[in-house]
Amino acid sequence: MEFVRLGKIIDAFSLDGTLKILSSTYYSDKRYKKGNIIYLVSPSGERLEATVIEHRANKDIDFVKVNEITSKEEALERRGWFVEANKDAKLLAKNEYYFTDVEQCDVYDEQSRLLGKVKKVEEFPAQITLRVSRKDKPDFFVPFIDAFIDHVDIENKKIIIKVMEGML
């Protein structure tokens, strides 16, 4: 089974054990729907399955109440743990991808020249952007929008981009 990271527990929010989570998902409403199973994962890899009771969000913070944590003290014990869910492609619309699937893809121009590898997917206010690393050269950025992305092949870990003047 594959998992996708939803965020990191940064604090307890209330006496009832509600978790305060720094979010790293666009799909928090879907992921934290009442009754969904999530996993709380310690830095050492201990995994606790939890059932969502309630969710609300404020900007990049998710407040999640789960059945298995019933007090502020239990929530505080999980500070620094990660929150994960089963990776489910059905949540994605056409031409949407998990960040983890895009990372480490080779990036080519339209003439099939290898330009680099996706080092990280960055979220900027205007759009999602790929940070592409190159050997012996500085990283460059590619906005993840149709004007710059020609083709994405997750299965073969390959992305073809339209190189604009000044991009490289």
Side-chain angles (χ1 to χ4, degrees), residues 43-72:
S44 66
E46 179 185 345
R47 186 173 290 275
L48 171 68
E49 184 176 295
T51 305
V52 175
I53 298 172
E54 189 178 317
H55 166 256
R56 65 187 180 286
N58 184 6
K59 298 183 182 174
D60 61 347
I61 302 294
D62 288 307
F63 301 95
V64 180
K65 176 71 181 121
V66 297
N67 273 332
E68 292 72 12
I69 297 178
T70 59
S71 70
K72 180 177 183 176

Short mmCIF file of all heavy atoms in Angstrom, two decimals, residues 43-72:
data_model
loop_
_atom_site.label_atom_id
_atom_site.label_comp_id
_atom_site.label_asym_id
_atom_site.label_seq_id
_atom_site.Cartn_x
_atom_site.Cartn_y
_atom_site.Cartn_z
N PRO A 43 8.27 9.96 13.82
CA PRO A 43 9.54 10.08 13.08
C PRO A 43 10.29 8.74 12.99
O PRO A 43 11.04 8.52 12.05
CB PRO A 43 10.33 11.12 13.89
CG PRO A 43 9.27 11.95 14.55
CD PRO A 43 8.17 10.98 14.87
N SER A 44 10.07 7.84 13.95
CA SER A 44 10.74 6.54 13.92
C SER A 44 9.98 5.50 13.09
O SER A 44 10.45 4.38 12.93
CB SER A 44 10.93 6.01 15.34
OG SER A 44 9.68 5.72 15.94
N GLY A 45 8.79 5.87 12.59
CA GLY A 45 8.03 4.98 11.72
C GLY A 45 6.86 4.28 12.38
O GLY A 45 6.13 3.53 11.73
N GLU A 46 6.64 4.50 13.68
CA GLU A 46 5.46 3.93 14.34
C GLU A 46 4.22 4.49 13.66
O GLU A 46 4.14 5.67 13.35
CB GLU A 46 5.47 4.31 15.83
CG GLU A 46 4.27 3.79 16.60
CD GLU A 46 4.26 4.29 18.04
OE1 GLU A 46 5.29 4.80 18.53
OE2 GLU A 46 3.19 4.20 18.66
N ARG A 47 3.24 3.64 13.39
CA ARG A 47 2.06 4.04 12.63
C ARG A 47 0.80 3.75 13.44
O ARG A 47 0.58 2.64 13.88
CB ARG A 47 2.04 3.26 11.32
CG ARG A 47 0.97 3.64 10.34
CD ARG A 47 1.16 2.91 9.02
NE ARG A 47 2.33 3.38 8.32
CZ ARG A 47 2.34 4.45 7.51
NH1 ARG A 47 1.23 5.12 7.29
NH2 ARG A 47 3.44 4.83 6.91
N LEU A 48 -0.03 4.80 13.63
CA LEU A 48 -1.30 4.66 14.34
C LEU A 48 -2.43 4.96 13.37
O LEU A 48 -2.48 6.04 12.78
CB LEU A 48 -1.36 5.64 15.52
CG LEU A 48 -2.70 5.78 16.24
CD1 LEU A 48 -3.05 4.51 16.98
CD2 LEU A 48 -2.67 6.96 17.19
N GLU A 49 -3.31 3.99 13.16
CA GLU A 49 -4.49 4.20 12.31
C GLU A 49 -5.51 4.99 13.11
O GLU A 49 -5.75 4.70 14.28
CB GLU A 49 -5.07 2.85 11.90
CG GLU A 49 -6.22 2.97 10.93
CD GLU A 49 -6.71 1.61 10.47
OE1 GLU A 49 -5.97 0.90 9.78
OE2 GLU A 49 -7.88 1.29 10.80
N ALA A 50 -6.13 5.99 12.47
CA ALA A 50 -7.09 6.84 13.16
C ALA A 50 -8.28 7.13 12.25
O ALA A 50 -8.13 7.24 11.04
CB ALA A 50 -6.42 8.14 13.60
N THR A 51 -9.44 7.28 12.86
CA THR A 51 -10.67 7.57 12.13
C THR A 51 -11.08 9.02 12.38
O THR A 51 -11.21 9.46 13.53
CB THR A 51 -11.80 6.64 12.59
OG1 THR A 51 -11.37 5.29 12.45
CG2 THR A 51 -13.07 6.85 11.77
N VAL A 52 -11.29 9.76 11.31
CA VAL A 52 -11.64 11.19 11.41
C VAL A 52 -13.06 11.34 11.92
O VAL A 52 -13.99 10.70 11.44
CB VAL A 52 -11.50 11.88 10.03
CG1 VAL A 52 -11.98 13.33 10.10
CG2 VAL A 52 -10.07 11.78 9.52
N ILE A 53 -13.22 12.22 12.90
CA ILE A 53 -14.54 12.57 13.44
C ILE A 53 -14.97 13.93 12.91
O ILE A 53 -16.13 14.15 12.55
CB ILE A 53 -14.51 12.65 14.99
CG1 ILE A 53 -14.15 11.30 15.60
CG2 ILE A 53 -15.84 13.15 15.53
CD1 ILE A 53 -13.91 11.38 17.10
N GLU A 54 -13.99 14.86 12.86
CA GLU A 54 -14.33 16.24 12.50
C GLU A 54 -13.11 16.92 11.90
O GLU A 54 -11.97 16.61 12.26
CB GLU A 54 -14.73 16.96 13.80
CG GLU A 54 -15.32 18.31 13.65
CD GLU A 54 -15.72 18.87 15.03
OE1 GLU A 54 -16.30 18.13 15.84
OE2 GLU A 54 -15.43 20.04 15.25
N HIS A 55 -13.36 17.88 11.00
CA HIS A 55 -12.28 18.63 10.37
C HIS A 55 -12.73 20.05 10.08
O HIS A 55 -13.86 20.30 9.68
CB HIS A 55 -11.86 17.96 9.04
CG HIS A 55 -11.01 18.84 8.19
ND1 HIS A 55 -11.48 19.48 7.06
CD2 HIS A 55 -9.71 19.21 8.29
CE1 HIS A 55 -10.51 20.18 6.51
NE2 HIS A 55 -9.42 20.03 7.24
N ARG A 56 -11.80 20.97 10.26
CA ARG A 56 -11.98 22.34 9.79
C ARG A 56 -10.60 22.87 9.45
O ARG A 56 -9.59 22.33 9.90
CB ARG A 56 -12.72 23.22 10.79
CG ARG A 56 -12.03 23.46 12.09
CD ARG A 56 -12.96 24.22 13.06
NE ARG A 56 -12.35 24.48 14.32
CZ ARG A 56 -12.11 23.60 15.27
NH1 ARG A 56 -12.45 22.34 15.09
NH2 ARG A 56 -11.53 23.94 16.39
N ALA A 57 -10.54 23.92 8.66
CA ALA A 57 -9.25 24.44 8.21
C ALA A 57 -9.23 25.95 8.31
O ALA A 57 -10.26 26.61 8.23
CB ALA A 57 -8.98 24.00 6.77
N ASN A 58 -8.02 26.48 8.47
CA ASN A 58 -7.79 27.91 8.44
C ASN A 58 -6.46 28.11 7.72
O ASN A 58 -5.41 27.82 8.27
CB ASN A 58 -7.75 28.49 9.85
CG ASN A 58 -7.60 30.00 9.86
OD1 ASN A 58 -7.65 30.63 8.81
ND2 ASN A 58 -7.43 30.57 11.03
N LYS A 59 -6.53 28.56 6.48
CA LYS A 59 -5.36 28.73 5.61
C LYS A 59 -4.62 27.41 5.48
O LYS A 59 -5.20 26.44 5.03
CB LYS A 59 -4.49 29.88 6.10
CG LYS A 59 -5.20 31.21 6.07
CD LYS A 59 -4.33 32.34 6.49
CE LYS A 59 -5.16 33.63 6.46
NZ LYS A 59 -4.45 34.75 6.96
N ASP A 60 -3.36 27.35 5.92
CA ASP A 60 -2.59 26.11 5.75
C ASP A 60 -2.57 25.25 7.01
O ASP A 60 -1.73 24.37 7.17
CB ASP A 60 -1.17 26.41 5.28
CG ASP A 60 -0.38 27.25 6.27
OD1 ASP A 60 -0.98 27.81 7.20
OD2 ASP A 60 0.86 27.35 6.10
N ILE A 61 -3.51 25.48 7.91
CA ILE A 61 -3.63 24.68 9.13
C ILE A 61 -4.94 23.89 9.09
O ILE A 61 -6.00 24.45 8.84
CB ILE A 61 -3.61 25.58 10.39
CG1 ILE A 61 -2.33 26.40 10.47
CG2 ILE A 61 -3.79 24.72 11.65
CD1 ILE A 61 -1.06 25.61 10.67
N ASP A 62 -4.83 22.58 9.34
CA ASP A 62 -6.00 21.72 9.47
C ASP A 62 -6.18 21.38 10.94
O ASP A 62 -5.20 21.09 11.64
CB ASP A 62 -5.82 20.43 8.66
CG ASP A 62 -5.91 20.66 7.18
OD1 ASP A 62 -6.91 21.25 6.73
OD2 ASP A 62 -4.98 20.25 6.46
N PHE A 63 -7.42 21.42 11.40
CA PHE A 63 -7.76 21.01 12.75
C PHE A 63 -8.56 19.72 12.61
O PHE A 63 -9.66 19.74 12.05
CB PHE A 63 -8.57 22.09 13.46
CG PHE A 63 -7.83 23.41 13.54
CD1 PHE A 63 -8.03 24.39 12.58
CD2 PHE A 63 -6.91 23.65 14.56
CE1 PHE A 63 -7.34 25.59 12.64
CE2 PHE A 63 -6.22 24.85 14.61
CZ PHE A 63 -6.44 25.82 13.66
N VAL A 64 -8.00 18.62 13.10
CA VAL A 64 -8.60 17.31 12.88
C VAL A 64 -8.80 16.60 14.20
O VAL A 64 -7.86 16.44 15.00
CB VAL A 64 -7.71 16.45 11.95
CG1 VAL A 64 -8.35 15.09 11.72
CG2 VAL A 64 -7.48 17.17 10.63
N LYS A 65 -10.03 16.15 14.42
CA LYS A 65 -10.37 15.35 15.60
C LYS A 65 -10.52 13.91 15.13
O LYS A 65 -11.20 13.64 14.14
CB LYS A 65 -11.67 15.86 16.23
CG LYS A 65 -12.16 15.04 17.40
CD LYS A 65 -11.26 15.24 18.61
CE LYS A 65 -11.74 14.38 19.77
NZ LYS A 65 -10.73 13.45 20.23
N VAL A 66 -9.83 12.99 15.84
CA VAL A 66 -9.92 11.56 15.51
C VAL A 66 -10.39 10.79 16.74
O VAL A 66 -10.19 11.21 17.88
CB VAL A 66 -8.56 11.00 15.01
CG1 VAL A 66 -8.14 11.68 13.70
CG2 VAL A 66 -7.48 11.13 16.06
N ASN A 67 -11.02 9.64 16.48
CA ASN A 67 -11.53 8.78 17.56
C ASN A 67 -10.45 8.35 18.55
O ASN A 67 -10.70 8.24 19.74
CB ASN A 67 -12.15 7.50 16.98
CG ASN A 67 -13.60 7.66 16.61
OD1 ASN A 67 -14.31 8.47 17.18
ND2 ASN A 67 -14.03 6.90 15.63
N GLU A 68 -9.27 8.08 18.04
CA GLU A 68 -8.23 7.43 18.83
C GLU A 68 -7.48 8.36 19.78
O GLU A 68 -6.74 7.90 20.64
CB GLU A 68 -7.23 6.74 17.89
CG GLU A 68 -7.80 5.55 17.16
CD GLU A 68 -8.81 5.91 16.05
OE1 GLU A 68 -8.92 7.10 15.67
OE2 GLU A 68 -9.49 4.99 15.58
N ILE A 69 -7.65 9.66 19.64
CA ILE A 69 -7.00 10.62 20.53
C ILE A 69 -8.08 11.42 21.23
O ILE A 69 -8.86 12.12 20.58
CB ILE A 69 -6.03 11.53 19.74
CG1 ILE A 69 -4.93 10.67 19.14
CG2 ILE A 69 -5.46 12.62 20.63
CD1 ILE A 69 -3.93 11.40 18.31
N THR A 70 -8.11 11.32 22.56
CA THR A 70 -9.23 11.89 23.31
C THR A 70 -8.83 12.98 24.29
O THR A 70 -9.68 13.49 25.01
CB THR A 70 -9.97 10.77 24.08
OG1 THR A 70 -9.04 10.12 24.95
CG2 THR A 70 -10.57 9.76 23.10
N SER A 71 -7.54 13.32 24.36
CA SER A 71 -7.14 14.36 25.30
C SER A 71 -6.02 15.22 24.71
O SER A 71 -5.32 14.80 23.78
CB SER A 71 -6.63 13.73 26.61
OG SER A 71 -5.38 13.09 26.40
N LYS A 72 -5.87 16.39 25.27
CA LYS A 72 -4.81 17.29 24.84
C LYS A 72 -3.44 16.63 25.02
O LYS A 72 -2.57 16.76 24.18
CB LYS A 72 -4.89 18.60 25.64
CG LYS A 72 -3.84 19.61 25.27
CD LYS A 72 -4.00 20.91 26.04
CE LYS A 72 -2.98 21.92 25.58
NZ LYS A 72 -3.17 23.22 26.25
#
